Amino acid sequence: MAKIELSEANAKNRMSPLEYQRNIGIAAHIDAGKTTVTERILYYCGNVHKIGEVHEGCATTDWMEQERERGITITSAAISAQWKTVRGPFEGINHRINIIDTPGHVDFTAEVERSLRVLDGAVAVFCAVAGVQPQSETVWRQMNKYGVPRIAFINKMDRTGADFFAAVESIRTKLKGNAHPIYLPIGSEENFRGLIDLIRMRAHIYDENDKDGRHYSEEDIPHELLAEAKKYHEILKEELASFDDELAEKYLADEEITDEEMMAAIRKATLSMSFIPAIPGTAFKNKGVQKLLNSVVNYLPSPLEVPPAIGHTEDGEAIEVHPNDAAPLAGLAFKLATDPFVGKLTFFRLYQGTLSKGTALYNPRTRKTERISRMVVMRANDRDDIEIAHSGDIVALIGTKDVRTGDTLCDKSLDLVLEPPTFPEPVISMSVEPNSKGDQEKLSIGLQRLAEEDPTFVVSTDEETGQTIIAGMGELHLDIIRDRLFREFKVEASVGKPQISYRESITHPAPGIGKFVRQSGGRGQYGHAEIKIEPNEKGKGYEFSNEIVGGVIPKEYIKPTEEGIKEALRNGTIAGYPVVDVKVHLIFGSYHEVDSSEMAFKMAGIFAFRDAMKKAQPQLLEPIMKVEVTTPEEYAGDVMGDVNRRRGQVHSIESKSGASVITAYVPLETMFGYSTDVRSFTKGRASYSMEPSHFEQVPAQVLSKVVESRANFVNRQ
């Protein structure tokens, strides 16, 4: 992409020129060391003067009480830092790095999704012992989805069982990522003491007396590692030759390739998403993080080097949005958060234009303007006020009123919508009730604010029982929500037993007729709609097709009819669960010139869908989880037997460092309490991770139990 020149005035007002800015995310499987890596980055960049540790509950980006208590990241934290690289094309130049530390737990995958939507590059952190883990795969898919170039940091090289080369190979085989080392480790486990730079062919040995990891000596490569270093240096040159014609000519002619040429080729290959530089290190022991920072600057893109964002007007016209300060403003609100001191924060990626404090931004969704009273650059839970933001910046806005996650905010002259992030459907729900009448209003306010912040947290009312139902991505997700209600909103509430979010679908096409006729003297009600429904592809959801000809249903009644169909989709005919993956064709109907109304056709749509659903051989679907259990080999048989008892299917078994890694697909309904059970029969020596995979039909022997359970739940209320 051609570099866009900034005007002299814009360049002067910037904190740093666009080409010297990086917007990156730190993402990985839970417990791979993302937050520890981020903490070291902040320390070496001078943002913090004392290293905070996750296990001590004092990491800068884990600022929520719940994060510090549990030692996990729950919400993505944005932070800005400055780094001056030591070597390379940007040597000695201060770079501004906007960093988002994302959660690793699958229950908070929405935080990763919306962060990657607005970032230009990423650091994928892997554990040197475990290599690629289940959530690593999810994060990798999300990076591919949004076209994010990345660097692989192989962390925890100081741990027993660390194997840098096995971890890199797992990226190549499991993730199909073209990962190649640009540094090699010197030693491993307790003997990990430095890195070999495969570009300059020099060894960097850390001073063991310097616990901060700031000082190292540059030396010749140790004799016993020289042959291996030469081998990987040649592999790296050969691989880079496939991305650069000039370098390929030199390589084939056996001419000398300079360090600068190799670095330029690595940058070009990384930006094309065809190459992943791999770096070993141990963030906990402060080794390798500075090399990672240099690589972020040298190999990940500036906002000028990523494809332009695409926006669409109301007419469907596509418009490219470039990082140009002088152009009309456009940006994406990708995250909402509640700050105890300043109220609602709207995290905003500015793609184009310049934003000043006090500016009124237009929201195409609401057709209203939002005035920005303050702007801040985030330092995790701290913040610095700024007067102006430029294209490429990530800032937090204060003063917005009606903004949701995924809203575009732009200049009114543009009136375009940028593609919002997409989020998975909740898989688990439970009822919540205030303990007193005084808590009722506070509960309502608290749930509304939490639902605004988190698109995967859904609040609804059970029409049959009148109960408030909260739904989310897992038990931990809802546990955190309940905890936040108590701590932040002072709500005393009781919750019911977790309920599985089943789905209903159909297996055969079927017609349906809906008539709503009411005569009670005077003007009556008349609506008549006929539809045909058929199964849709798995995961495609609901599709509607208007096939009315000849005006048998007037145009103004088509939309109310579809609204009725959508309402009927919320409650299936088997057990009242939402209906998914269905195509609906509106094919016929009739109307009355006097008695027809929007409400009548909405009711006709509801009746028509219910009629068709009963004839379409509906089926009940349950969420299936992908479960990975790492256990000592002697317990592998017990783990597999337990998976079978839970109606699960073992997919694969892999031996890794003396342990068995068992991957299985298991219904969520059978996985409650699994953590306690697996620890019990493996004497606490097994660990597991779990993430939603897909929906499958509920077996006949289980169906009656689910339907009965649903009926009992409704009757109890």
Side-chain angles (χ1 to χ4, degrees), residues 192-210:
F192 179 63
R193 57 195 180 94
L195 293 84
I196 295 173
D197 183 342
L198 287 177
I199 298 166
R200 298 179 60 245
M201 290 299 281
R202 297 287 288 168
H204 299 157
I205 311 292
Y206 285 90
D207 181 354
E208 292 301 324
N209 296 318
D210 176 20

Side-chain angles (χ1 to χ4, degrees), residues 312-323:
H312 289 88
T313 64
E314 193 176 12
D315 299 330
E317 181 190 355
I319 297 177
E320 289 189 351
V321 178
H322 294 270

Side-chain angles (χ1 to χ4, degrees), residues 505-627:
S505 192
I506 59 172
T507 56
H508 287 76
I513 299 174
K515 279 192 176 182
F516 184 74
V517 183
R518 294 287 186 275
Q519 286 298 142
S520 55
R523 182 177 175 178
Q525 294 283 355
Y526 183 89
H528 167 216
E530 295 186 15
I531 65 172
K532 179 188 174 186
I533 65 174
E534 60 179 329
N536 204 353
E537 289 179 46
K538 271 191 176 182
K540 283 293 181 75
Y542 155 78
E543 290 180 19
F544 176 77
S545 172
N546 174 22
E547 297 171 13
I548 292 297
V549 291
V552 291
I553 298 179
K555 188 176 179 182
E556 64 267 27
Y557 296 140
I558 300 296
K559 190 172 181 182
T561 306
E562 187 189 3
E563 286 174 359
I565 291 166
K566 284 182 178 177
E567 189 169 312
L569 283 166
R570 295 178 197 164
N571 302 100
T573 56
I574 299 176
Y577 289 104
V579 181
V580 297
D581 300 336
V582 60
K583 287 182 182 178
V584 179
H585 306 270
L586 180 59
I587 54 176
F588 191 67
S590 63
Y591 73 103
H592 190 281
E593 288 189 1
V594 177
D595 291 350
S596 286
S597 66
E598 289 187 359
M599 191 277 282
F601 272 93
K602 181 177 180 180
M603 295 304 297
I606 293 173
F607 294 158
F609 185 81
R610 287 178 179 169
D611 180 48
M613 182 80 179
K614 290 173 185 173
K615 304 171 187 172
Q617 297 184 27
Q619 61 180 2
L620 191 67
L621 306 174
E622 63 180 342
I624 304 297
M625 312 301 285
K626 182 181 180 182
V627 182

